[in-house]
Each structure stands twice: as structure tokens, then as C-alpha cells.
Amino acid sequence: MDNGRGDDPVAALLGAGVVVTGAGRGIGAALARRFAEAGARVVVNDRHPDRAAAVAAEIGGLALPGNASDRLVPAARELLGGAVDVYCANAGVLRTGGPEASDDDWATSWDVNVMAHVQAARDLLPDWLDRGRGRFVSVASSAALLTLIGSAPYAVSKHASLAFAEWMSVTYRHLGVHVHAICPRAVRTEAYEAELESTELQLLSTAIGPEKVADALFESIAADRFLVLPHPEVAEHAAQRVTDRERWLSDINRMQTSTSR
């Protein structure tokens, strides 16, 4: 898409075709609203048709109900009447437990949190590489950089989603494909409220509104920065994890044991 906006990546969103999965509420809805404000044509995906329709009507977008693990790209192109310029893989699932979690919980976590991203990239990349431009956004969570006490399926699958986003970036950035990984901690959404009710999960940062996540993404788009950290302290914690893993493991284990008493 050539809109005459030069090298300004935010201005270039005017008229762009954008898909946001899991956009019926929370972070996804905030991302959809922000892209619409930037002048993009937004496809709002959600597995709940009423939610997709409500957000699409609010922002003047296009509703695409369905599971994020479905092949959404062909249908999105049809709705947009052209190319998908930006794809936001936001939809995710959180299942608690460890190895004892059911096979279904592990499979669902892998399907939605990882393979939905892979399938989307599989459908997007041929066109993006042909045109020499495209933008892929992975909402990966701080669990992808650290961990999440009480949820092995989520922590493991989010690590994998970040690894896939990193692989995409190192493989295609010189060919015009921009990749961003959003890694927030607590965000005030319905899912966050459900987490607060669980005795198995511990959230370590002050909750922010989903609009702050959208703001952080747009700052990273403007700066062409891969890692999006709405909670800046995550960068320090991630650095500690790498530079002194033994201490980090001990500290997280201490948190685990203190909350289980």
C-alpha cells in the first residue's frame, strides 16, 4: 500500500488493512480502536460473534467471527477487498496447572497461543514478501520473557509464541516485514479479573488499562522496535533472569512457596 506518507510508519497506517484477533474486548478491542483512529480499515475477529459485531460497529470496522486458530487471512482479505497490511495475533487462552493439566488444556494453549500465529504467518508471508512490506504483532505476555506461577501451559506456549516472533523478525526484517512482540503484565480485562479470583496465579505488577498497551505498541511502531513493554520493569526482570538465572529461579520459587502457605 502506497499512501504517500513516506517513512512515517504510523502515518502509513492510514488506509491500511488491519486484522486484530480476539478483538471483542480487552487488549484486542483497544488495539482495534487505536488502529481505527489512525485511519486503518480494521477487521475485528472474535470467537463471540456479538462481541466482534459490537466493536466493529463502534469503530466502523468489519466483523469476522471465528476462532483465532481458524484460517482467518483469506476471509479477512475478502472483507478488506485487498491485502492485509498488519496482523495482530492477540487472541490467547490461559489454562492453569502444571503437568497435571489435561491434554486438552495443553493442546488448546498450543493451538491458540502458538499455532494460530504460525498459520497466519503462513498465509501472510507470500504476499508480504512479494510486496516487500507487512507488519506482524504478537501479543505474547510478560510470561513469554519470565514465567507465570500457577500456569505451565500458558508460560510454555507464550515462550514459544515469542520465539516464533523473534524468528520471524530475524528472518524477514531485511525484506520489509516488521514484527512486534507485546509483553505486558497485569492488564485490566475480564481475563485479568478471572485471574484475580484464582488462588493458583500471582500477578506481580500494577494493572494498567488496555489502552496503555495500545499506546505502547504505537510507540514501538514509530520507533521500529521489536519488544513492546507496557510495564517497563519487565525489562529489568528479564535481564536478571538471563544474567543470574539461579538467583532468579530461587526468587520466583520463594514467591511460589510464600503464596502456597
Side-chain angles (χ1 to χ4, degrees), residues 19-32 43-48 51-52 64-72 87-95 107-120 136-141 153-154 157-162 164 180 182 184 189 191 195 213 217:
V19 177
V20 185
T21 68
R25 63 182 185 180
I27 293 172
L31 293 175
V43 173
V44 179
N45 161 258
D46 198 273
R47 64 190 181 92
H48 299 281
R51 292 178 183 170
L64 178 57
N67 293 323
S69 53
D70 295 338
R71 288 193 64 196
L72 298 177
Y87 193 93
C88 297
N90 166 73
V93 297
L94 191 158
R95 300 289 188 265
T108 299
S109 299
W110 190 258
D111 190 39
V112 177
N113 296 345
V114 183
M115 292 310 299
H117 300 205
V118 175
Q119 180 61 66
F136 190 91
V137 179
S138 170
V139 181
S141 164
Y154 189 78
S157 59
K158 286 298 186 177
H159 270 267
S161 71
L162 178 61
F164 181 68
H180 307 277
I182 308 178
T189 64
E195 288 168 7
V213 179
L217 172 61

Side-chain angles (χ1 to χ4, degrees), residues 42-233:
V42 183
V43 173
V44 179
N45 161 258
D46 198 273
R47 64 190 181 92
H48 299 281
D50 56 336
R51 292 178 183 170
V55 174
E58 174 193 339
I59 67 173
L62 303 157
L64 178 57
N67 293 323
S69 53
D70 295 338
R71 288 193 64 196
L72 298 177
V73 172
R77 286 191 181 120
E78 186 174 345
L79 283 174
L80 291 166
V84 173
D85 299 292
V86 182
Y87 193 93
C88 297
N90 166 73
V93 297
L94 191 158
R95 300 289 188 265
T96 59
E100 79 284 355
S102 70
D103 287 353
D104 182 64
D105 281 350
W106 278 97
T108 299
S109 299
W110 190 258
D111 190 39
V112 177
N113 296 345
V114 183
M115 292 310 299
H117 300 205
V118 175
Q119 180 61 66
R122 186 180 292 152
D123 288 336
L124 290 162
L125 280 168
D127 178 59
W128 285 357
L129 295 176
D130 184 59
R131 293 191 294 140
R133 61 183 180 273
R135 193 173 299 275
F136 190 91
V137 179
S138 170
V139 181
S141 164
S142 63
L145 289 166
L146 303 168
T147 191
L148 183 60
I149 294 172
S151 179
Y154 189 78
V156 170
S157 59
K158 286 298 186 177
H159 270 267
S161 71
L162 178 61
F164 181 68
E166 289 173 337
W167 185 91
M168 288 264 290
S169 183
V170 300
T171 303
Y172 300 115
R173 64 166 50 201
H174 65 292
L175 299 174
V177 176
H178 302 269
V179 183
H180 307 277
I182 308 178
C183 298
R185 270 185 167 164
V187 180
R188 289 192 297 272
T189 64
E190 289 183 31
Y192 167 72
E193 295 300 329
E195 288 168 7
L196 284 183
E197 296 176 1
S198 172
T199 59
E200 298 175 293
L201 300 176
Q202 182 174 358
L203 305 175
L204 305 177
S205 295
T206 301
I208 61 174
E211 298 77 15
K212 294 293 186 182
V213 179
D215 290 343
L217 172 61
F218 269 63
E219 290 169 6
S220 289
I221 289 174
D224 194 22
R225 186 169 57 242
F226 170 80
L227 202 57
V228 183
L229 297 178
H231 292 86
E233 67 270 21

